[in-house]
Amino acid sequence: MLDCGLDMTSTLNFLPLPLVQSPRLSKLPGLVLKDGSTFLDKELKECSGHVFVDSVPEFCLPETELLDLSTVDVILISNYHCMMALPYITEYTGFTGTVYATEPTVQIGRLLMEELVNSIERVPKAQSASMWKNKEVQRLLPAPLKDAVEVSMWRKCYTMPEVNAALSKIQLVGYSQKIELFGAVQVTPLSSGYALGSSNWIIQSHYEKVSYVSGSSLLTTHPQPMDQASLKNSDVLILTGLTQIPTANPDGMVGEFCSNLAMTVRNGGNVLVPCYPSGVIYDLLECLYQYIDSAGLSNVPFYFISPVANSSLEFSQIFAEWLCHNKQTKVYLPEPPFPHAELIQTNKLKHYPSIHGDFSNDFKQPCVIFTGHPSLRFGDVVHFMELWGKSSLNTVIFTEPDFSYLDALAPYQPLAMKCVYCPIDTRLNFIQVSKLLKEVQPLHVVCPEQYTQPPPSQSHRTDLMIDCQPPPMSYRRAEVLTLPYKRRYEKIEIMPELADSLVPLEIKPGISLATVSAMLHTKDNKHVLQLPPKPPQPPTSKKRKRVSDDVPECKPLKPLLSGSIPVDQFVQTLEKHGFSDVKVEDTAKGHIVLLQEAETLIQIEEDSTHIICDNDEPLRVKLRDLVLKFLQKF
Amino acid sequence: MPLALLVICLTFTTSSPPGPALTARVPASLGGAGQDVGRSCILVSIAGKNVMLDCGMHMGYNDDRRFPDFSYITQNGRLTDFLDCVIISHFHLDHCGALPYFSEMVGYDGPIYMTHPTKAICPILLEDYRKITVDKKGETNFFTSQMIKDCMKKVVAVHLHQTVQVDEELEIKAYYAGHVLGAAMFQIKVGCESVVYTGDYNMTPDRHLGAAWIDKCRPDLLITESTYATTIRDSKRCRERDFLKKVHETVERGGKVLIPVFALGRAQELCILLETFWERMNLKAPIYFSTGLTEKANHYYKLFITWTNQKIRKTFVQRNMFEFKHIKAFDRAFADNPGPMVVFATPGMLHAGQSLQIFRKWAGNEKNMVIMPGYCVQGTVGHKILSGQRKLEMEGRQILEVKMQVEYMSFSAHADAKGIMQLIRQAEPRNVLLVHGEAKKMEFLKQKIEQEFHVNCYMPANGETTTIFTNPSIPVDISLGLLKRETAIDAKKPKLMHGTLIMKDNSFRLVSPEQALKELGLAEHQLRFTCRVHIQDPRKEHETVLRVYNHLKGVLKDYSVQHLPDGSITVESILIQATAHLEDQGTKVLLVSWTYQDEELGSYLTSLLKKGLPQSTS
């Protein structure tokens, strides 16, 4: 199984979870259906023309119906965003296999999960709505609830014990580490350049190579650059996790982010940056580190609020080996690789586990706050949306590309606060994909259907799709795809003793053949050929045995024969061996050699020889061996 | 006489199916290190690739004996042309101290592999050593700072468990070795032949590092250090308690404790130990750490915390173990302060620098104590006082009388005999080669290894070459069709298979005989036999056939025996037909016809039928 991502866009259908009682949210009117019925008014609320579920937010799981997950042996994780569904899979499906991921992926993945669990569990919600999920009821609802897919499969968030249990099933791996799976295939993670520890995976046997490219970046940010060379010579390349915003240039977005931030603060407003606790935030902090002094923002406090803020900042400093070259060099000095260490030291950046406690004492405005969750449905960000939403001095800047910012803002409408959309998605865009594919030249490309056509909103942009030869094979949710690849060979080992016993024969110049009769041992999908055991002594004829004991035990293994028999030489040989009455008759296809006294005839043709005799076994064996002398064995 | 570089030459021979490609002997040579703890440098040749393992220097010498004699490797010709790569196991100078001399002064431009922490720390120790040698002692003909920098540019950093492809055939892989931050064991592999070099390692986790680990990689040769070949050390806890007791007693009676250490490694472990002890006992005597290097060293530990042990890694966010409360930076003037104190000072063998200076100041007072926490090589002051010498001749013929107490505590993180045996058990090598130890102790360990594991164990002296013969199996490609045919029934059970090996342009493919014929454009020649068997049976032909059928069916239980509508019988692919005898109505002639591929069964059937049919029971 490749990756284990969680679709969190489902949470956009839910009301935000406020940290403190929000009069506005609690006063929202219940939904009245078109026919005037109000039986759903406890579960569904209306806000500025949108309908929201008033319940604990739920997530859309990966497809679990299509196959029995207990038959999955291995899950390969490509980056920390792609493992958020892991507890659902490892704890509830009978999965007993192994999960492979790099150390930063696991550590940061744990932080993301911890933040998620924490932000949902700290706001206990009595209500858990389920009535609206009834198919009959859902049909009556307004969009987008009406069209939400697989709502019956939506699940509440997991708990920390489940997270810990799931993470304990992960085996840590390093880039370019070759991991043997059951002796049959080898998997290798490669740097994908997108995030700390993010990987693409090579899955290969001795003859076939499948590359799984997911969430890769060619831009130089903090992670180790993408390893492209190792993707070459793939038979199949599975391509996914491309940029969500193919039209935005990340560098431009960062510039816009900084200038909007500065403008707001200069005007006395506050800036809210909904974000994940790891990833792009490191790059943003680094930009700000260089920017704040020149922009005269040195006195503006920057707050990073998350239950895992401290851990995230600390962890980022200890993964030197997973960082880009520049950052590695800093560690050699030894200096912390990220400048946010200095921001913290100089008190410009402060971090808090939540808005409660120390933060409320230190809180000064105007300020800049980084906090989660980017969906604006839970986490400390909800509090600041409620707090600052009414003033047009304040700005919320969206940098995470996973959620539509308009949908995210919907339950906060009407909103006076300024909204700026600067999505920073460093993953591959279509131009980079074309370049990559030209470089690594896979035989086949497999990708999600969405990448084979322009985005629905920009159907004229034919440049916003994957273009390669042969055209990519696409897949959709719950579709089974047969890869156009046929396996033909496997590796087998010939033991030295057996190798010594082989007698090669040069058949054609440069081509030698040897017939091999050997014991095949197969263990852990590894095949070994050994010398066959010595045949048991043939029982002497005097020892009478029961008839059935003499039945040949295993199927005799006789080589195939090839070649032809020159009649003249054959006759000479016969005569040499004491056959005096040999007579040869020509036939249409060859010859018949008659041994008159023995009432035996031998038909010789180009590709066949037929010995017809009475039941005189010694004679037959003698003739057989004479014939065999003229033929090659295979 | 300069010390010779130990050259170990491993010759791998390949036993192979006769065929032009594999009959050649593939020489592989390994070169290297000997019965000496002073300095490590090993040359390995494996399947035609030459790899140098470590490039250490001898701390006990001040002349050219301190560096290995690299002219041993190639008499003439460039090292770069001869060596495929150099691997450094860890940052101790007896493993990497000669590197700038080797690469910049002798001349080597190929790749040098080491782990990230080693790459970070190694140049600092080299520079530190260079300063002591050149700036303080005024020696010339030594490498310069620039040479260290240029040398480090040739270094490629590797991750743990990453398979590094040095070239098409040669690959190396690093395993965690404990010992010091960033120490690694390396597997060197060419085709199916491999060597594991341990460097220095540690099989028990300590206060700041984890234990060495390797998988069951079954190398042809394991080259292991054997510093503590005969020691089975008492438990770590006892040693720690002992250490703390001695320090505590000395401080209580107002004495000063000097602990000579290397800046990185044991120093951090002992600091953690003392820090927690001071905290628990609420002690007030100052603990100092000689400045410069060591402060920096703690930084490295913080940044490379992923290389430390599980406990430190888990808790580092809450409390970084390398931020010490009780341990402060040392100033030279403090040495003359009255009252008790504990000082960690470099270097660890008391051969130069600050530790030696402090030692000279404190040596005359019997209240004081020096604790040597690690191994000292011959020729150093450390080694002298440990071997009981109490009158030392210092520079300028001055005699220093040592009255202070001298204690030795083995904290240096090498594997002891038990650990070495454990590693051999883990890796399951076919041969073991002991280096980096003393001859007598190695001999003892060698016997133990040979007894317990029944593998050959070697212990070459410096400059000696060891050749090891391997007998690898030969990998060939088998067509999936053939393999599936053979494994279709019961994949687990060994079974006899038959195929044809096609050898062409260095490629070996095992295919079914049919496919081999087809690929070569040859036609099969069918060899068929038909035997006439006479049977006395007056019944009608079809009745005879039925009797034959029932008889065969009864005897050949495991075979497919069929009675066809046209009156013939088949046993597998053997055909039996019956006709009446032309002259004798009471005799029937059975024509048994089979191909050469069914020879055994056909032959058996004719002899079976010749014996006649059993009396009919009906």
Side-chain angles (χ1 to χ4, degrees):
Chain A
M1 183 159 146
L2 302 173
D3 280 329
C4 200
L6 191 60
D7 183 355
M8 293 202 244
T9 52
S10 59
T11 59
L12 293 175
N13 294 301
F14 291 78
L15 275 186
L17 288 180
L19 293 177
V20 286
Q21 181 73 16
S22 157
R24 184 185 70 86
L25 288 175
S26 50
K27 276 186 207 140
L28 289 177
L31 176 73
V32 180
L33 291 177
K34 276 191 202 122
D35 60 4
S37 59
T38 59
F39 67 98
L40 282 170
D41 66 350
K42 287 268 177 313
E43 290 197 351
L44 302 177
K45 306 280 181 190
E46 261 191 292
C47 175
S48 332
H50 290 265
V51 176
F52 297 96
V53 183
D54 187 10
S55 168
V56 185
E58 295 180 336
F59 308 108
C60 181
L61 268 54
E63 182 61 47
T64 51
E65 301 288 285
L66 197 62
L67 78 168
D68 179 0
L69 283 164
S70 66
T71 63
V72 172
D73 297 308
V74 165
I75 300 178
L76 305 179
I77 303 291
S78 51
N79 62 64
Y80 46 75
H81 286 297
C82 294
M83 61 186 280
M84 296 300 283
L86 208 54
Y88 295 116
I89 303 297
T90 58
E91 306 310 298
Y92 292 101
T93 60
F95 172 81
T96 54
T98 315
V99 186
Y100 290 97
T102 63
E103 184 168 0
T105 300
V106 176
Q107 298 294 6
I108 297 172
R110 176 195 297 275
L111 298 182
L112 293 187
M113 291 180 180
E114 217 176 295
E115 190 194 57
L116 188 67
V117 172
N118 184 294
S119 48
I120 287 181
E121 283 183 355
R122 64 200 257 226
V123 191
K125 190 138 186 150
Q127 169 154 303
S128 165
S130 57
M131 224 178 345
W132 69 276
K133 286 187 182 176
N134 183 313
K135 274 209 169 75
E136 293 304 307
V137 179
Q138 197 195 354
R139 219 162 32 85
L140 306 171
L141 301 178
L145 277 180
K146 186 170 74 175
D147 310 317
V149 288
E150 315 246 1
V151 289
S152 59
M153 293 294 298
W154 290 11
R155 289 285 174 276
K156 277 185 215 137
C157 190
Y158 34 74
T159 63
M160 264 335 269
E162 286 163 354
V163 170
N164 289 329
L167 295 180
S168 71
K169 295 180 173 87
I170 301 183
Q171 186 98 33
L172 296 183
V173 294
Y175 287 151
S176 305
Q177 179 177 351
K178 293 177 177 169
I179 304 134
E180 287 283 338
L181 298 183
F182 321 107
V185 290
Q186 210 178 46
V187 296
T188 308
L190 304 173
S191 177
S192 78
Y194 165 57
L196 266 177
S198 69
S199 346
N200 292 322
W201 289 86
I202 305 279
I203 304 157
Q204 62 187 340
S205 69
H206 288 289
Y207 301 96
E208 301 83 21
K209 177 170 173 179
V210 176
S211 299
Y212 173 56
V213 176
S214 161
S216 299
S217 176
L218 291 170
L219 301 176
T220 315
T221 56
H222 58 274
Q224 216 181 86
M226 177 178 178
D227 179 353
Q228 295 182 62
S230 307
L231 298 173
K232 282 185 184 167
N233 304 319
S234 300
D235 297 303
V236 174
L237 187 142
I238 305 170
L239 184 63
T240 183
L242 302 186
T243 177
Q244 310 237 31
I245 328 285
T247 48
N249 165 12
D251 280 335
M253 288 296 146
V254 171
E256 230 173 277
F257 168 82
C258 289
S259 59
N260 275 296
L261 182 142
M263 204 150 60
T264 305
V265 177
R266 270 190 221 119
N267 293 334
N270 299 295
V271 177
L272 181 61
V273 187
C275 63
Y276 293 114
S278 175
V280 175
I281 184 170
Y282 303 145
D283 299 316
L284 292 179
L285 289 174
E286 185 156 2
C287 285
L288 290 172
Y289 168 78
Q290 293 156 358
Y291 183 73
I292 44 180
D293 287 330
S294 64
L297 301 175
S298 334
N299 296 320
V300 178
F302 286 78
Y303 301 117
F304 175 19
I305 303 173
S306 159
V308 298
N310 185 26
S311 299
S312 166
L313 294 171
E314 289 285 341
F315 270 113
S316 67
Q317 306 287 23
I318 65 158
F319 290 125
E321 288 154 79
W322 308 85
L323 295 173
C324 64
H325 184 257
N326 275 346
K327 297 227 177 302
Q328 264 178 23
T329 325
K330 283 190 117 183
V331 175
Y332 291 167
L333 290 179
E335 277 171 23
F338 285 97
H340 53 241
E342 204 186 314
L343 287 176
I344 295 169
Q345 228 167 28
T346 54
N347 262 332
K348 284 178 182 152
L349 173 68
K350 292 181 181 179
H351 54 83
Y352 303 90
S354 84
I355 55 165
H356 303 296
D358 291 345
F359 175 72
S360 36
N361 303 328
D362 299 352
F363 185 41
K364 279 193 201 77
Q365 303 192 63
C367 65
V368 179
I369 291 185
F370 294 88
T371 188
H373 185 271
S375 66
L376 305 189
R377 290 302 178 272
F378 42 84
D380 298 280
V381 74
V382 175
H383 177 74
F384 293 101
M385 283 305 295
E386 294 286 333
L387 186 71
W388 292 344
K390 292 163 218 101
S391 164
S392 60
L393 280 179
N394 302 327
T395 307
V396 53
I397 310 181
F398 292 88
T399 56
E400 302 287 355
D402 287 356
F403 301 92
S404 141
Y405 79 105
L406 289 174
D407 290 345
L409 288 171
Y412 299 96
Q413 299 294 359
L415 204 62
M417 177 182 209
K418 276 201 291 290
C419 302
V420 179
Y421 184 55
C422 303
I424 298 167
D425 194 334
T426 57
R427 288 174 287 185
L428 296 176
N429 63 33
F430 291 99
I431 300 167
Q432 291 164 335
V433 166
S434 310
K435 223 180 111 208
L436 176 73
L437 291 179
K438 262 192 208 113
E439 189 86 0
V440 305
Q441 304 236 324
L443 286 184
H444 303 280
V445 174
V446 175
C447 67
E449 198 185 25
Q450 299 90 291
Y451 297 154
T452 59
Q453 58 213 21
S457 56
Q458 292 160 297
S459 53
H460 62 285
R461 292 289 298 267
T462 49
D463 56 325
L464 298 184
M465 56 185 270
I466 293 179
D467 177 27
C468 66
Q469 279 309 323
M473 305 176 59
S474 64
Y475 60 86
R476 293 179 244 201
R477 186 173 174 126
E479 190 180 11
V480 177
L481 206 63
T482 310
L483 297 182
Y485 198 81
K486 199 169 174 333
R487 298 171 60 219
R488 289 175 54 220
Y489 285 100
E490 256 192 57
K491 272 275 186 258
I492 193 165
E493 281 194 4
I494 297 186
M495 296 302 282
E497 303 77 35
L498 174 64
D500 282 343
S501 75
L502 298 180
V503 188
L505 204 74
E506 185 152 13
I507 295 284
K508 291 178 177 174
I511 303 179
S512 298
L513 290 188
T515 56
V516 181
S517 282
M519 289 309 282
L520 172 68
H521 293 259
T522 298
K523 195 183 164 194
D524 298 338
N525 289 317
K526 294 264 179 257
H527 311 292
V528 176
L529 282 181
Q530 290 180 347
L531 273 182
K534 295 224 173 72
Q537 288 297 309
T540 49
S541 54
K542 278 175 190 166
K543 255 194 208 161
R544 272 308 304 165
K545 278 188 168 184
R546 281 177 43 232
V547 185
S548 58
D549 289 345
D550 290 343
V551 176
E553 271 192 6
C554 54
K555 260 187 149 183
L557 292 159
K558 286 287 177 200
L560 292 185
L561 303 171
S562 180
S564 55
I565 297 174
V567 175
D568 295 347
Q569 283 177 42
F570 181 62
V571 171
Q572 281 168 23
T573 311
L574 285 178
E575 282 167 350
K576 231 188 274 168
H577 283 80
F579 297 96
S580 53
D581 56 347
V582 184
K583 207 178 131 193
V584 180
E585 286 175 10
D586 289 352
T587 65
K589 285 184 183 164
H591 311 273
I592 291 179
V593 178
L594 275 167
L595 306 176
Q596 286 163 306
E597 198 183 317
E599 285 192 39
T600 293
L601 66 124
I602 305 163
Q603 289 175 348
I604 299 179
E605 289 175 9
E606 181 66 29
D607 286 332
S608 68
T609 301
H610 193 170
I611 300 173
I612 301 161
C613 61
D614 269 340
N615 188 14
D616 180 352
E617 189 65 6
L619 172 68
R620 188 188 68 81
V621 169
K622 191 170 181 182
L623 289 174
R624 178 193 74 191
D625 292 343
L626 290 179
V627 168
L628 286 177
K629 277 191 184 161
F630 290 92
L631 297 171
Q632 289 156 348
K633 294 177 181 181
F634 282 85
Chain B
M1 182 202 75
L3 273 176
L5 169 82
L6 169 73
V7 178
I8 302 163
C9 185
L10 256 187
T11 305
F12 290 103
T13 46
T14 321
S15 137
S16 53
L22 284 185
T23 43
R25 293 197 157 204
V26 190
S29 96
L30 189 169
Q35 302 159 1
D36 183 2
V37 186
R39 174 207 73 254
S40 282
C41 188
I42 304 172
L43 186 70
V44 182
S45 292
I46 167 170
K49 303 284 173 184
N50 300 314
V51 179
M52 193 163 95
L53 304 171
D54 280 339
C55 190
M57 69 177 171
H58 201 297
M59 311 284 275
Y61 296 105
N62 289 324
D63 48 29
D64 31 323
R65 285 179 295 180
R66 71 180 139 220
F67 294 137
D69 181 3
F70 294 109
S71 63
Y72 243 74
I73 300 179
T74 48
Q75 301 309 333
N76 35 40
R78 294 173 64 234
L79 286 170
T80 313
D81 299 334
F82 180 75
L83 290 175
D84 292 282
C85 73
V86 173
I87 293 171
I88 302 294
S89 64
H90 62 284
F91 60 64
H92 278 158
L93 292 179
D94 56 338
H95 290 259
C96 70
L99 201 55
Y101 168 77
F102 162 78
S103 75
E104 306 311 307
M105 296 171 82
V106 181
Y108 169 76
D109 298 319
I112 302 167
Y113 294 96
M114 52 178 84
T115 64
H116 283 270
T118 308
K119 187 183 172 188
I121 296 165
C122 175
I124 306 210
L125 295 186
L126 287 170
E127 178 59 27
D128 188 56
Y129 182 71
R130 191 200 66 79
K131 266 193 207 143
I132 293 178
T133 319
V134 178
D135 299 353
K136 292 221 173 113
K137 294 194 195 158
E139 283 184 43
T140 51
N141 193 23
F142 205 74
F143 50 78
T144 63
S145 294
Q146 191 54 45
M147 284 177 181
I148 298 175
K149 282 185 191 131
D150 292 341
C151 167
M152 293 315 289
K153 282 184 196 143
K154 297 170 185 170
V155 172
V156 181
V158 301
H159 293 249
L160 280 184
H161 304 158
Q162 172 191 9
T163 301
V164 179
Q165 213 72 45
V166 176
D167 60 32
E168 295 248 307
E169 289 108 32
L170 174 62
E171 55 181 53
I172 61 172
K173 180 178 178 183
Y175 291 93
Y176 189 77
H179 187 60
V180 289
L181 194 72
M185 308 189 274
F186 279 89
Q187 181 192 44
I188 300 115
K189 197 172 168 193
V190 182
C192 46
E193 293 161 349
S194 65
V195 173
V196 167
Y197 172 60
T198 65
D200 292 350
Y201 62 103
N202 188 20
M203 293 301 284
T204 45
D206 61 29
R207 273 175 193 270
H208 74 306
L209 296 172
W213 178 86
I214 194 161
D215 53 13
K216 208 177 279 302
C217 56
R218 299 198 175 92
D220 293 297
L221 176 66
L222 174 78
I223 305 173
T224 172
E225 65 134 334
S226 48
T227 314
Y228 288 122
T230 52
T231 330
I232 291 178
R233 282 174 295 172
D234 45 1
S235 88
K236 189 108 194 170
R237 246 170 229 296
C238 291
R239 270 178 288 146
E240 286 176 1
R241 219 172 18 233
D242 219 21
F243 169 79
L244 292 171
K245 200 174 137 216
K246 279 180 178 141
V247 173
H248 193 192
E249 282 169 5
T250 310
V251 172
E252 287 286 275
R253 66 168 178 259
K256 296 178 168 64
V257 183
L258 170 66
I259 308 170
V261 287
F262 286 104
L264 289 120
R266 255 4 67 198
Q268 279 70 28
E269 185 184 3
L270 295 177
C271 281
I272 294 175
L273 195 60
L274 279 189
E275 167 94 5
T276 31
F277 187 70
W278 249 239
E279 180 110 15
R280 200 175 70 218
M281 306 294 285
N282 199 17
L283 297 180
K284 294 285 177 267
I287 307 176
Y288 297 113
F289 211 139
S290 64
T291 39
L293 253 190
T294 23
E295 260 183 297
K296 225 173 177 182
N298 287 346
H299 258 297
Y300 283 112
Y301 276 83
K302 281 188 228 164
L303 293 171
F304 285 109
I305 211 134
T306 52
W307 285 78
T308 59
N309 70 28
Q310 195 96 41
K311 196 180 150 206
I312 294 186
R313 282 158 55 182
K314 266 203 164 145
T315 55
F316 90 101
V317 176
Q318 290 78 45
R319 172 154 191 233
N320 198 317
M321 287 295 263
F322 299 102
E323 274 160 22
F324 301 114
K325 264 200 291 185
H326 297 271
I327 303 171
K328 295 174 194 79
F330 182 72
D331 186 291
R332 192 179 300 198
F334 293 175
D336 297 322
N337 284 359
M341 67 174 82
V342 181
V343 175
F344 288 95
T346 57
M349 299 185 193
L350 283 180
H351 54 280
Q354 202 165 39
S355 62
L356 187 57
Q357 278 173 21
I358 300 173
F359 174 75
R360 290 167 81 160
K361 276 197 174 145
W362 294 356
N365 189 337
E366 61 277 356
K367 271 209 291 191
N368 297 341
M369 179 183 279
V370 58
I371 300 180
M372 306 296 297
Y375 187 90
C376 292
V377 297
Q378 235 163 9
T380 60
V381 172
H383 188 267
K384 282 177 194 158
I385 57 169
L386 280 183
S387 48
Q389 227 174 301
R390 287 296 173 265
K391 290 209 165 105
L392 302 172
E393 189 180 328
M394 307 308 280
E395 289 141 46
R397 310 238 151 185
Q398 202 188 331
I399 300 291
L400 178 69
E401 203 173 334
V402 182
K403 288 190 185 149
M404 77 196 297
Q405 296 175 53
V406 178
E407 293 287 344
Y408 171 69
M409 304 229 127
S410 152
F411 274 101
S412 78
H414 290 276
D416 59 5
K418 215 165 110 194
I420 295 170
M421 301 298 273
Q422 202 181 330
L423 186 85
I424 295 174
R425 209 166 293 125
Q426 266 182 23
E428 289 191 2
R430 295 189 184 89
N431 298 278
V432 176
L433 190 142
L434 303 176
V435 294
H436 206 268
E438 287 161 31
K440 256 194 232 154
K441 296 180 178 176
M442 283 158 81
E443 182 58 46
F444 172 81
L445 185 65
K446 171 177 144 76
Q447 284 174 11
K448 230 180 127 182
I449 291 169
E450 285 176 334
Q451 260 170 31
E452 187 168 338
F453 299 107
H454 308 287
V455 298
N456 296 323
C457 186
Y458 306 85
M459 35 173 291
N462 269 349
E464 202 179 303
T465 298
T466 307
T467 306
I468 287 159
F469 295 91
T470 61
N471 198 9
S473 50
I474 294 113
V476 302
D477 301 345
I478 184 167
S479 86
L480 216 56
L482 177 63
L483 187 67
K484 284 211 172 131
R485 187 164 85 186
E486 300 299 339
T487 54
I489 313 134
D490 180 4
K492 294 249 165 66
K493 218 163 111 191
K495 59 188 70 69
L496 200 60
M497 68 160 279
H498 181 80
T500 303
L501 189 64
I502 305 180
M503 288 165 264
K504 184 185 168 189
D505 312 330
N506 273 348
S507 86
F508 295 81
R509 285 184 304 127
L510 188 60
V511 299
S512 64
E514 293 87 346
Q515 192 183 340
L517 282 176
K518 210 170 131 195
E519 278 187 27
L520 294 166
L522 299 176
E524 186 192 343
H525 188 105
Q526 207 183 54
L527 176 56
R528 177 168 275 283
F529 306 96
T530 300
C531 270
R532 291 183 288 261
V533 182
H534 298 255
I535 280 188
Q536 299 301 319
D537 188 10
R539 274 168 265 220
K540 292 214 169 102
E541 278 156 40
H542 70 267
E543 286 174 35
T544 311
V545 168
L546 202 61
R547 285 185 66 202
V548 170
Y549 171 70
N550 286 332
H551 176 46
L552 293 180
K553 190 105 181 141
V555 176
L556 301 167
K557 292 215 167 58
D558 294 336
Y559 290 79
S560 137
V561 183
Q562 284 180 306
H563 190 184
L564 300 182
D566 67 357
S568 54
I569 298 171
T570 58
V571 179
E572 302 288 321
S573 64
I574 295 169
L575 186 69
I576 303 171
Q577 286 169 310
T579 57
H581 197 278
L582 287 176
E583 291 144 32
D584 179 2
Q585 288 300 313
T587 305
K588 301 287 177 295
V589 181
L590 292 178
L591 290 174
V592 184
S593 182
W594 70 93
T595 64
Y596 176 63
Q597 280 69 36
D598 287 319
E599 174 69 2
E600 261 83 16
L601 188 60
S603 165
Y604 167 77
L605 270 184
T606 49
S607 58
L608 178 71
L609 291 171
K610 195 176 168 187
K611 286 177 199 145
L613 295 173
Q615 286 308 307
S616 167
T617 46
S618 56

